[in-house]
Each structure stands twice: as C-alpha cells, then as structure tokens.
Amino acid sequence: MALVVAGIVVLDCAEPEKLAAFYRELLDAEESHVSANRVEIRSADGMRMAFRRDANATPPSWPRPENSLQAHLDFVVEDLDAAERKVVALGGRPLEAKDAPGPYEERGCADPAGHSFTLMTNRTAAPKLG
C-alpha cells in the first residue's frame, strides 16, 4: 500500500471563495470541502485543487524574475481560443509571453489572484527555455 495516496495543488490567496469559483467554472469541477480558510474542488477527471486563505498573499510576478513562479499549472485543452475566452470571461487574463519553440501550442494566463497557468493543446509540451 502506498504511503501517500493522494496529492492536491494548493494556492494561497486572499479570497479563496472567489478563486475557487474561478477554477470550479474553468474546470467544470465541484466543491468537495469548504471551511473558514480553505475551499477544495475536484474535477470530473479527479484533479484536486485547494485555495487557502492568506491575507498577506502576494501574486506571482511572472515573467519577471523576482517572486516569479510560486506554482505552475498546465491545463490540456482542445481549443486554445475558446479556453482563453473562458478564462477572460471568468476574470482571468492572458499573459504576454513569447511563443514557445517547436510544434506545441500553449498560452500563458493568470487567474484573478495572479497565479500563472498554461493552456496547452498537447500533454507533452516542449520544455520552457529561459
């Protein structure tokens, strides 16, 4: 029997309820746990995320080097344009970045609290350069 049986991505933020709503809609997920300082969601394919209240949370500054990546999420999508429109409609924003080299398409985005993530059309992406 495995010692660790599950993993979960946890993002610190000032307003976990609002950030959980963003990702719940983006991933078509359901809330699985709610407490005063934490909201957890689970997507239909089993991906688990949690959002923990931290009144002093500072948004990452990617692509600037200081405080750049506290965590990074990749989401596989079938239609980059449609996924990016949904991100914007939910309060997120696209991040300006150079196109990744090679045949893989991906777009950088940020959630409403400033955490960066990537929308990609292929699970096996080329390694980031720089």
Side-chain angles (χ1 to χ4, degrees), residues 85-98:
R85 283 192 298 272
K86 185 170 186 177
V87 166
V88 172
L90 293 171
R93 63 185 170 82
L95 295 174
E96 291 184 31
K98 295 179 183 175

Side-chain angles (χ1 to χ4, degrees), residues 8 12 20 26-27 30 39 42 55 57 90 92 94-95 98 101 111 117:
I8 187 165
D12 290 345
L26 182 65
L27 301 173
E30 295 182 2
V39 178
R42 180 184 294 249
L90 293 171
L95 295 174
K98 295 179 183 175
D111 65 28
F117 60 91

Side-chain angles (χ1 to χ4, degrees), residues 103-126:
Y104 306 102
E105 286 197 62
E106 60 182 46
R107 294 192 188 150
C109 296
D111 65 28
H115 300 101
S116 65
F117 60 91
T118 300
L119 302 173
M120 57 193 341
T121 57
N122 188 327
R123 289 184 190 269
T124 309

Side-chain angles (χ1 to χ4, degrees), residues 50-114:
F51 310 92
R52 185 178 68 96
R53 188 178 317 281
D54 179 353
N56 298 316
T58 303
S61 61
W62 188 90
R64 295 186 316 267
E66 67 280 357
N67 193 31
S68 63
L69 290 178
Q70 297 168 352
H72 183 80
L73 306 169
D74 288 341
F75 296 110
V76 177
V77 301
E78 292 193 20
D79 184 328
L80 281 171
D81 292 332
E84 186 175 73
R85 283 192 298 272
K86 185 170 186 177
V87 166
V88 172
L90 293 171
R93 63 185 170 82
L95 295 174
E96 291 184 31
K98 295 179 183 175
D99 292 333
Y104 306 102
E105 286 197 62
E106 60 182 46
R107 294 192 188 150
C109 296
D111 65 28

Side-chain angles (χ1 to χ4, degrees), residues 9-56:
V9 174
V10 181
L11 298 178
D12 290 345
C13 57
E15 299 177 281
E17 300 82 6
K18 288 184 180 180
L19 198 55
F22 171 84
Y23 282 103
R24 190 176 60 243
E25 290 295 320
L26 182 65
L27 301 173
D28 194 25
E30 295 182 2
E31 283 184 352
S32 59
H33 173 77
V34 179
S35 68
N37 291 310
R38 185 177 171 114
V39 178
E40 293 182 16
I41 63 170
R42 180 184 294 249
S43 70
D45 71 353
M47 180 179 179
R48 296 173 58 194
M49 292 183 72
F51 310 92
R52 185 178 68 96
R53 188 178 317 281
D54 179 353
N56 298 316

